[in-house]
Each structure stands twice: as structure tokens, then as C-alpha cells.
Amino acid sequence: DIQRELRRIGVNINQIARALNTAVIEGRVLDLELGEVAAFKREIREHLAGLRDVMARRQVYWDLADE
């Protein structure tokens, strides 16, 4: 469930990034906003990687416990 929710957040961030890439606010370049979105995407990827690592270690633990 956690992984699914993090993926949904990632999808939403990608949609925001696309919208920012096509938007122009009074001729202003949106570099700062795009940088923030990129930082959010990196953070979500890090959380997903951490979650996958925890789940893999958990599986190893239970596999060893079954032996």
C-alpha cells in the first residue's frame, strides 16, 4: 500500500512538472519551480528504493526463519 501511494505521488509530481513545462506565468521562467519538482521526484525515488530494500530484507529474514 505504501509503495502504491508513493507511486501515485510520483505520478502527480510528473503531471505537475509537465504542466510547469508548458506554463508561462507572465513571461517568467519557471526554473525554481521545476527545480523543486525535480527535488520532490528524487525524494520519492529515494523513498521507493528504501521501501524496496526494507521489503527485500524482510523477505530474506522470513526465508531464513523458515529453514
Side-chain angles (χ1 to χ4, degrees):
D1 289 340
I2 294 169
Q3 188 171 359
R4 185 177 58 242
E5 291 301 318
L6 286 171
R7 286 187 189 280
R8 284 182 185 166
I9 292 168
V11 168
N12 289 340
I13 290 172
N14 282 332
Q15 291 172 343
I16 292 167
R18 275 190 227 106
L20 286 173
N21 278 323
T22 60
V24 177
I25 299 174
E26 299 177 8
R28 197 174 111 214
V29 177
L30 303 173
D31 291 335
L32 178 62
E33 290 83 356
L34 290 172
E36 298 260 340
V37 169
F40 289 140
K41 286 174 67 173
R42 281 191 302 275
E43 187 175 349
I44 293 295
R45 284 189 183 126
E46 290 169 6
H47 286 298
L48 280 169
L51 180 61
R52 282 191 294 272
D53 183 51
V54 166
M55 296 304 284
R57 285 186 279 136
R58 180 176 169 252
Q59 186 62 47
V60 168
Y61 171 83
W62 287 111
D63 288 347
L64 291 173
D66 288 339
E67 291 180 2

